[in-house]
Amino acid sequence: MRLTHAFAFVLALGIIGTACAPAAVSPAAPAAASPAPAVASPASAAASPAAPKPTTPVQLTKVRMSHAGAQTFRLPLYVAIQNGYFKDAAIDLEVIGTSSGSDAMKMLAGKAVEFSTGQVLDAVNLNREGINIQGVAMLTSKLGNSVIVRKAIANEIKSMADLKKGLNRTVGVTSVGSGTWQFAVYMGLASGLTKEDFNFIPVGTGANVIGAVKAGRVDAMSFADPENFQLVESGDAAFLIDLTDVATHKKLIGDTYLNNQIMVSSDYIKQKPEVVQGFVNAIQRGTVWASEHSPEEIAKLILGYEGFKGSDEALMVKSLRRMITAIPKSVVITKDAFDNAMKFPVAIGVLDKPMAYDLLVNTSFAEKAAAQYPAKP
């Protein structure tokens, strides 16, 4: 797996060839007194090991995937990378980081990558442009987003209505049109507001989120763990809306939600179905491993991933505990999770009515993967 960031680094994986050891040679038998040539006995011939057959290195298929920074709601992906599941599937994966989910989708639309992670609305937007993109694997089954407000003004902010731009408030998102923007707009609608009522500030991901809140560039931040949780833990912010609370999630969203998914173009599915299957197999193995291990064990594993390096281990464990109910045992995208996710584009006015499940979702690869790599009951 190679990790490339739009601004930074590439983590390279190579194929390590294993040279075959030369065959052992039995010492020659001592010459007999008779001039007749010596003949090896059947027993001694059997004792000599046969020369091993040369091994052929597995040919890996180069695959590129875009995504908007390391987030715990993509947990099965990082587990699969760290445990070598993509290499097991004969895939040489390069992960390309972007500043937002929208940018990641642009790379998929432009065929700069073969796979991407993203939201349902991302697939909706591309399909409306005539680019048929399908979700093939679910990464988490609940929406883990949250809205936090700066601690200094937390007593003044009781609902999304208190964040209106008419009150000179600003709301940070990764970018306009991204999943974090969609969530903020949807939560605003619940308070009787429209997207025009907010002053959204694009801040990107990762350290930029932390910096924007601490520096007071934004009054509120629509994002997710670990950044939002880290800001609350450090005393810089307070939760206004936190969907990792099961009761809150059920009230505002429903029981399940297609939070993030692996997406690929229909053309690539037709051209290389075996690669798509191998990719989804790796994700399924990742979610099974995550569902069967503790937050402490998961944290130790994924902190080795380049995007999480330098993160506080104790904080990561706490963040993983908050999302434990969102780890699916199967990466099959369910109709119920899809329907709840489709509420967003309809509610914010992108669609008049939901797009068809069969158009945006292909479950065939995930169903095969779940059958081959089932989770424990």
Side-chain angles (χ1 to χ4, degrees):
M1 191 287 298
R2 281 193 290 279
L3 177 65
T4 304
H5 196 278
F7 310 105
F9 42 76
V10 176
L11 175 63
L13 282 180
I15 304 172
I16 303 175
T18 303
C20 295
V25 179
S26 300
S34 166
V39 178
S41 69
S44 64
S48 299
K53 294 180 180 179
T55 58
T56 302
V58 175
Q59 184 65 43
L60 303 187
T61 299
K62 173 67 179 296
V63 169
R64 298 160 301 177
M65 184 197 73
S66 58
H67 86 333
Q71 297 294 319
T72 51
F73 56 71
R74 299 189 187 99
L75 180 62
L77 170 66
Y78 309 125
V79 171
I81 290 171
Q82 293 304 107
N83 280 342
Y85 296 155
F86 287 104
K87 187 175 179 182
D88 290 348
I91 291 174
D92 175 16
L93 179 63
E94 178 183 1
V95 180
I96 302 174
T98 63
S99 60
S100 71
S102 301
D103 289 341
M105 286 298 102
K106 289 175 184 176
M107 295 190 73
L108 184 61
K111 298 185 178 180
V113 296
E114 292 75 39
F115 292 82
S116 187
T117 65
Q119 308 281 342
V120 165
L121 182 56
D122 298 321
V124 166
N125 288 335
L126 291 185
N127 276 275
R128 292 178 73 197
E129 295 174 11
I131 304 170
N132 191 211
I133 301 297
Q134 291 188 307
V136 292
M138 178 164 62
L139 293 174
T140 40
S141 60
K142 292 186 187 298
L143 184 58
N145 286 42
S146 58
V147 175
I148 59 172
V149 295
R150 289 191 296 113
K151 195 65 174 286
I153 60 171
N155 289 336
E156 304 170 27
I157 310 298
K158 303 302 180 184
S159 74
M160 292 295 290
D162 296 322
L163 292 171
K164 292 187 297 185
K165 64 183 178 183
L167 298 174
N168 295 319
R169 299 302 188 189
T170 55
V171 180
V173 294
T174 54
S175 69
V176 173
S178 66
T180 57
W181 175 84
Q182 296 167 42
F183 177 64
V185 172
Y186 189 74
M187 292 298 102
L189 290 171
S191 295
L193 306 175
T194 68
K195 56 181 177 291
E196 288 77 18
D197 289 319
F198 296 101
N199 182 14
F200 291 112
I201 307 297
V203 301
T205 62
N208 293 328
V209 172
I210 305 293
V213 174
K214 287 192 172 187
R217 284 184 54 216
V218 296
D219 295 311
M221 176 64 67
S222 173
F223 207 67
D225 284 15
E227 286 82 357
N228 273 7
F229 181 62
Q230 179 178 337
L231 285 162
V232 171
E233 283 284 287
S234 64
D236 293 290
F239 282 116
L240 179 65
I241 301 169
D242 181 14
L243 290 187
T244 63
D245 177 72
V246 175
T248 301
H249 192 286
K250 185 176 180 63
K251 176 183 176 181
L252 297 176
I253 305 297
D255 288 320
T256 62
Y257 182 91
L258 178 54
N259 186 14
N260 214 254
Q261 60 183 328
I262 299 296
M263 290 186 283
V264 61
S265 71
S266 296
D267 288 342
Y268 193 81
I269 289 174
K270 293 174 184 175
Q271 293 165 6
K272 296 191 176 180
E274 72 287 350
V275 176
V276 178
Q277 187 64 67
F279 196 108
V280 176
N281 285 354
I283 297 295
Q284 172 66 21
R285 292 179 68 190
T287 201
V288 169
W289 189 96
S291 70
E292 296 175 353
H293 288 76
S294 69
E296 289 79 8
E297 292 170 317
I298 296 171
K300 287 185 182 300
L301 178 71
I302 67 172
L303 285 174
Y305 176 70
E306 191 68 34
F308 288 126
K309 283 184 177 177
S311 298
D312 181 82
E313 185 171 344
L315 184 67
M316 179 63 76
V317 170
K318 290 180 180 179
S319 180
L320 289 168
R321 283 197 186 118
R322 283 164 44 79
M323 63 160 289
I324 204 73
T325 60
I327 302 174
K329 291 191 174 183
S330 164
V331 297
V332 175
I333 299 173
T334 65
K335 181 71 162 52
D336 186 48
F338 173 85
D339 287 344
N340 281 331
M342 188 56 70
K343 293 176 183 177
F344 278 43
V346 174
I348 66 180
V350 174
L351 292 174
D352 294 329
K353 61 181 181 180
M355 275 190 172
Y357 172 74
D358 292 339
L359 173 65
L360 299 183
V361 175
N362 184 327
T363 63
S364 63
F365 300 100
E367 287 167 354
K368 290 177 183 176
Q372 186 174 357
Y373 302 103
K376 294 178 181 177

